[in-house]
Amino acid sequence: MSNIVIVESKNDKIFMQAMVEKLNCDIQVASPIYIDDYKSLEGLSERELIKALKNLERKIDQKDIEKIGIIIDLDNDSEQERLNLVNKCVKQVFESETLSSTKQFIDICTADIGTKAKLACYFTNFEGTGELETVLKAIKARESPHADCLNSWKTCIENQGQQIDRKDFDKFWVSIYLRYDTCSIQEQKQAGRKCSMSGFDYVMEHKKDIWDWTHPALDDLKAFFKLFC
C-alpha cells in the first residue's frame, strides 16, 4: 500500500518531505511514515486541484494507494472556506463523504472502478493565517537581526500611509533571514542558489538547523502526518 500527498509548490514539497523525515526519527515508529509521492499544484486554484485529483483517480487502483493527503495554504481564508473548496473539488472527482475538519480521514471511492481510499487535508498556516513563509518565520532557530530590522522598515512604510500585506512581509522577512542571517560568507558567493527560497532545496538539505523543528507552530502539521503512520 502507498500514500500520496498533494501540495501546492516545489518548496512546499521540499519542506513537507523534510518534516516527514524528521518525524520518522523523532517519533521512532516501527514502520517509517511512507509518503511515496508528492504532486505539486503550482499554485492553488479550483481547476488545478480538480485536475490533480482526476490524475490521481487513475492511479489509485494501479498503485494501490491507501491514503491521500491534500496540503494547501490557508492564506487569508477561514478554515471552513478552505474546507468548502476542498470538498467541492473532491466531490467533482470521487464519491465521498464530506470533510468537516482537517486532520481527519474520510472515505472516498472512484466512480468507474469503485476502488476505495482515505483522504484528509491540512491547511498550512500560523495562528490562523498564512502559508509556508509564515510558518518558516515563526520557527526560525537562529538570531535574526537583519530580518527583524524589517519591522522598523514596516513601521516607516505605514507612517507614510502605505501598507504591506502580511503575506508579502513574511516572504520578505524569510528572504532576508536566509540571505543575511543564516548564509555563510562562502555561501554568499552563490546566494541565489544557497541563500534564497529559489534555492530552498539546498537550504533544506544543508541547513535544516536554521528552523526549530520542535516549535508548537508545527504541532498540527505533525498530527496530520501521523495519520499516515
Side-chain angles (χ1 to χ4, degrees), residues 205-219:
E205 180 180 355
H206 298 281
K207 298 189 287 186
K208 288 188 180 74
D209 62 335
I210 68 173
W211 315 114
D212 177 5
W213 295 94
T214 65
H215 196 285
L218 298 176
D219 287 350

Side-chain angles (χ1 to χ4, degrees), residues 2 6 10 22 38 51 60 84 88 109 113 131 139 160 162 166 172 178 191-193 205 213:
S2 61
I6 299 172
K10 175 185 174 183
K22 284 286 184 180
Y38 286 84
K51 179 181 176 181
I60 288 178
N84 291 342
K88 183 178 181 181
C109 183
I113 304 175
E131 56 177 1
I139 67 169
Q160 300 299 316
Q162 304 296 318
R166 178 181 176 179
F172 194 16
L178 294 179
R193 189 170 71 85
E205 180 180 355
W213 295 94

Side-chain angles (χ1 to χ4, degrees), residues 5 29 31 47-48 54 59 65-66 85 137 168 218:
V5 169
V29 293
S31 299
R47 181 180 64 85
E48 288 301 318
K54 284 183 175 178
K59 298 177 181 178
I65 295 172
E66 179 185 17
L85 169 67
K137 181 174 180 288
D168 292 334
L218 298 176

